[in-house]
Amino acid sequence: SDITPADININTKEKLINSLKKINLEKYNYNISVLCGTLKDKQYFENHFKNIKIEVAERYARDWLDQFKKTQNISFLGKNPSIIFIHIRRLSKVLVDQFHKKGIRVIATPPTRDQSIEKSLTMIKKCFEFGADGILTSHVDANIVSMIDNINGS
């Protein structure tokens, strides 16, 4: 076949919207969260899906962190923000404390490339030390879970 990526027209946003319309029920609102790449997208989803938690993604928020440090203005997070995702390399105790004062939970995001268990453990310790509320990850190794238990004294 001579089909190339240019021949395939998939509108991911449209597919997501159609799927969310099917499940936009109050009984599911605690299970669904959407991360948007722009504030405009966040506002669109908030206006159309009242029962779904909408936040901005780390990639969008990172462009605003320096300004936030100076002004403490959280308007870049949109209406009623509750969470901010911050890349682990940009995370600091001061930044976590500043967002906590605004009532916003801080979730650390890891580097996209694979890491050793030792580097992952260092990242986890950093998050605990800075007071982050969580860590977003797509891979959990049983050894890391065991090491976290040891950090917490469980």
Side-chain angles (χ1 to χ4, degrees):
S1 170
D2 287 33
I3 296 176
T4 66
D7 296 320
I8 302 171
N9 184 9
I10 298 175
N11 185 337
T12 307
K13 183 176 176 181
E14 186 177 308
K15 284 187 173 189
L16 175 62
I17 290 168
N18 289 334
S19 295
L20 290 174
K21 284 178 182 176
K22 293 177 186 174
I23 58 171
N24 189 26
L25 304 172
E26 194 168 326
K27 67 181 179 177
Y28 297 126
N29 67 353
Y30 63 92
N31 286 325
I32 301 169
S33 185
V34 175
L35 296 179
C36 295
T38 68
L39 187 54
K40 182 179 177 182
D41 285 344
K42 181 182 185 216
Q43 291 165 339
Y44 172 86
F45 279 95
E46 285 175 335
N47 289 333
H48 290 84
F49 301 100
K50 304 282 187 217
N51 297 323
I52 296 174
K53 188 66 187 157
I54 312 294
E55 301 291 351
V56 292
E58 183 275 330
R59 179 67 187 101
Y60 166 81
R62 81 170 64 158
D63 295 335
W64 295 91
L65 291 178
D66 288 336
Q67 181 180 343
F68 170 76
K69 288 178 194 176
K70 294 175 190 170
T71 66
Q72 302 297 294
N73 184 337
I74 59 171
S75 62
F76 70 95
L77 293 174
K79 199 170 62 173
N80 304 317
S82 62
I83 295 175
I84 184 163
F85 296 88
I86 301 176
H87 193 282
I88 188 69
R89 289 192 183 110
R90 296 173 182 269
L91 195 66
S92 70
K93 174 89 172 115
V94 170
L95 203 53
V96 171
D97 290 345
Q98 288 174 327
F99 279 108
H100 282 169
K101 285 178 186 171
K102 300 283 187 181
I104 298 172
R105 294 179 312 184
V106 176
I107 307 297
T109 62
T112 53
R113 66 182 190 283
D114 290 326
Q115 291 202 63
S116 67
I117 291 176
E118 291 77 21
K119 285 186 179 179
S120 295
L121 184 59
T122 299
M123 180 183 84
I124 293 166
K125 285 180 180 177
K126 185 177 177 181
C127 291
F128 280 128
E129 179 184 316
F130 292 162
D133 300 291
I135 302 168
L136 182 67
T137 184
S138 59
H139 174 75
V140 177
D141 186 295
N143 293 322
I144 293 174
V145 174
S146 174
M147 290 177 190
I148 292 171
D149 285 344
N150 289 337
I151 291 170
N152 287 328
S154 301

Short mmCIF file of all heavy atoms in Angstrom, two decimals, residues 18 24 42 44 49 57-58 63 67 71 78 91 94 112 116 119 121 128 142-143 146 154:
data_model
loop_
_atom_site.label_atom_id
_atom_site.label_comp_id
_atom_site.label_asym_id
_atom_site.label_seq_id
_atom_site.Cartn_x
_atom_site.Cartn_y
_atom_site.Cartn_z
N ASN A 18 -16.40 13.37 21.38
CA ASN A 18 -17.51 12.43 21.18
C ASN A 18 -17.56 11.37 22.27
O ASN A 18 -18.63 11.01 22.75
CB ASN A 18 -17.42 11.79 19.80
CG ASN A 18 -17.75 12.77 18.69
OD1 ASN A 18 -18.48 13.73 18.90
ND2 ASN A 18 -17.20 12.53 17.51
N ASN A 24 -20.52 11.81 29.93
CA ASN A 24 -20.57 13.05 30.69
C ASN A 24 -21.72 13.03 31.70
O ASN A 24 -22.65 13.80 31.62
CB ASN A 24 -20.70 14.25 29.74
CG ASN A 24 -20.54 15.58 30.46
OD1 ASN A 24 -19.88 15.65 31.48
ND2 ASN A 24 -21.13 16.61 29.91
N LYS A 42 -8.70 24.10 27.54
CA LYS A 42 -9.25 23.90 28.89
C LYS A 42 -10.59 24.60 29.03
O LYS A 42 -11.56 24.03 29.52
CB LYS A 42 -8.27 24.40 29.96
CG LYS A 42 -8.81 24.18 31.36
CD LYS A 42 -7.90 24.70 32.45
CE LYS A 42 -8.50 24.30 33.77
NZ LYS A 42 -8.35 25.23 34.83
N TYR A 44 -12.67 25.45 26.67
CA TYR A 44 -13.66 24.78 25.83
C TYR A 44 -14.23 23.56 26.57
O TYR A 44 -15.44 23.39 26.66
CB TYR A 44 -13.03 24.33 24.50
CG TYR A 44 -13.98 23.46 23.70
CD1 TYR A 44 -14.92 24.05 22.86
CD2 TYR A 44 -13.98 22.07 23.83
CE1 TYR A 44 -15.82 23.26 22.15
CE2 TYR A 44 -14.87 21.29 23.12
CZ TYR A 44 -15.79 21.88 22.29
OH TYR A 44 -16.69 21.11 21.60
N PHE A 49 -18.22 20.31 29.34
CA PHE A 49 -18.24 19.11 30.18
C PHE A 49 -18.12 19.52 31.65
O PHE A 49 -17.06 19.44 32.25
CB PHE A 49 -17.11 18.15 29.77
CG PHE A 49 -17.20 17.73 28.34
CD1 PHE A 49 -16.42 18.33 27.37
CD2 PHE A 49 -18.10 16.75 27.95
CE1 PHE A 49 -16.52 17.95 26.04
CE2 PHE A 49 -18.20 16.37 26.63
CZ PHE A 49 -17.42 16.97 25.67
N ALA A 57 -1.92 20.71 30.90
CA ALA A 57 -0.80 19.77 30.92
C ALA A 57 0.50 20.47 31.32
O ALA A 57 0.63 21.68 31.23
CB ALA A 57 -0.65 19.13 29.54
N GLU A 58 1.47 19.66 31.74
CA GLU A 58 2.77 20.17 32.16
C GLU A 58 3.44 21.00 31.07
O GLU A 58 3.99 22.06 31.34
CB GLU A 58 3.67 19.00 32.57
CG GLU A 58 5.03 19.41 33.12
CD GLU A 58 6.08 19.63 32.05
OE1 GLU A 58 6.03 18.99 30.98
OE2 GLU A 58 6.95 20.50 32.27
N ASP A 63 5.74 26.95 30.61
CA ASP A 63 6.06 28.25 30.03
C ASP A 63 5.68 29.41 30.95
O ASP A 63 6.10 30.55 30.72
CB ASP A 63 5.35 28.41 28.68
CG ASP A 63 5.86 27.44 27.64
OD1 ASP A 63 7.02 26.98 27.75
OD2 ASP A 63 5.10 27.11 26.70
N GLN A 67 7.05 33.34 35.37
CA GLN A 67 6.16 34.47 35.64
C GLN A 67 5.42 34.27 36.96
O GLN A 67 5.27 35.20 37.75
CB GLN A 67 5.16 34.65 34.50
CG GLN A 67 4.22 35.82 34.71
CD GLN A 67 3.22 35.97 33.58
OE1 GLN A 67 3.39 35.43 32.50
NE2 GLN A 67 2.17 36.73 33.82
N THR A 71 5.08 36.83 40.13
CA THR A 71 3.81 37.54 40.35
C THR A 71 2.81 36.81 41.24
O THR A 71 1.86 37.41 41.72
CB THR A 71 3.10 37.80 39.01
OG1 THR A 71 2.72 36.54 38.44
CG2 THR A 71 4.00 38.55 38.05
N GLY A 78 -6.21 28.91 34.37
CA GLY A 78 -7.63 28.95 34.06
C GLY A 78 -8.48 29.06 35.30
O GLY A 78 -8.01 29.35 36.40
N LEU A 91 10.98 21.45 39.53
CA LEU A 91 10.35 21.40 40.85
C LEU A 91 11.30 21.94 41.91
O LEU A 91 12.49 21.68 41.89
CB LEU A 91 10.00 19.94 41.17
CG LEU A 91 9.04 19.70 42.32
CD1 LEU A 91 7.66 20.24 41.98
CD2 LEU A 91 8.95 18.21 42.61
N VAL A 94 10.29 25.87 47.12
CA VAL A 94 9.65 27.19 47.06
C VAL A 94 8.44 27.16 46.14
O VAL A 94 7.37 27.65 46.49
CB VAL A 94 10.67 28.27 46.60
CG1 VAL A 94 9.98 29.59 46.31
CG2 VAL A 94 11.76 28.45 47.65
N THR A 112 10.90 12.09 30.07
CA THR A 112 10.21 11.16 29.17
C THR A 112 11.06 9.94 28.83
O THR A 112 10.52 8.91 28.48
CB THR A 112 9.80 11.86 27.87
OG1 THR A 112 10.95 12.49 27.31
CG2 THR A 112 8.73 12.89 28.13
N SER A 116 17.00 4.82 35.22
CA SER A 116 17.40 3.71 36.08
C SER A 116 16.57 3.76 37.36
O SER A 116 15.97 4.79 37.69
CB SER A 116 18.88 3.81 36.42
OG SER A 116 19.11 4.95 37.24
N LYS A 119 17.91 6.54 39.60
CA LYS A 119 17.46 7.89 39.24
C LYS A 119 15.99 8.09 39.60
O LYS A 119 15.59 9.15 40.04
CB LYS A 119 17.68 8.15 37.75
CG LYS A 119 19.13 8.42 37.40
CD LYS A 119 19.28 8.80 35.95
CE LYS A 119 20.73 9.09 35.63
NZ LYS A 119 20.91 9.45 34.23
N LEU A 121 14.43 6.62 42.05
CA LEU A 121 14.37 6.75 43.50
C LEU A 121 14.79 8.16 43.93
O LEU A 121 14.17 8.75 44.81
CB LEU A 121 15.26 5.70 44.17
CG LEU A 121 15.22 5.68 45.69
CD1 LEU A 121 13.79 5.44 46.20
CD2 LEU A 121 16.15 4.61 46.24
N PHE A 128 9.25 13.90 47.73
CA PHE A 128 8.91 13.86 49.16
C PHE A 128 9.51 15.05 49.89
O PHE A 128 8.85 15.72 50.68
CB PHE A 128 9.42 12.57 49.81
CG PHE A 128 8.55 11.37 49.57
CD1 PHE A 128 9.11 10.19 49.08
CD2 PHE A 128 7.20 11.38 49.84
CE1 PHE A 128 8.33 9.07 48.86
CE2 PHE A 128 6.40 10.26 49.63
CZ PHE A 128 6.97 9.11 49.13
N ALA A 142 8.37 -2.83 40.49
CA ALA A 142 8.15 -3.36 41.84
C ALA A 142 9.28 -2.95 42.78
O ALA A 142 9.05 -2.71 43.97
CB ALA A 142 8.03 -4.88 41.79
N ASN A 143 10.48 -2.84 42.27
CA ASN A 143 11.61 -2.41 43.11
C ASN A 143 11.44 -0.98 43.59
O ASN A 143 11.79 -0.65 44.72
CB ASN A 143 12.93 -2.53 42.33
CG ASN A 143 13.28 -3.97 42.04
OD1 ASN A 143 13.06 -4.86 42.86
ND2 ASN A 143 13.83 -4.21 40.86
N SER A 146 8.91 -0.91 46.44
CA SER A 146 9.56 -1.40 47.64
C SER A 146 10.44 -0.32 48.27
O SER A 146 10.46 -0.13 49.49
CB SER A 146 10.38 -2.64 47.32
OG SER A 146 11.12 -3.05 48.44
N SER A 154 7.39 2.17 56.00
CA SER A 154 6.28 1.22 56.05
C SER A 154 6.76 -0.19 56.25
O SER A 154 7.82 -0.57 55.93
CB SER A 154 5.48 1.27 54.74
OG SER A 154 4.99 2.57 54.55
#
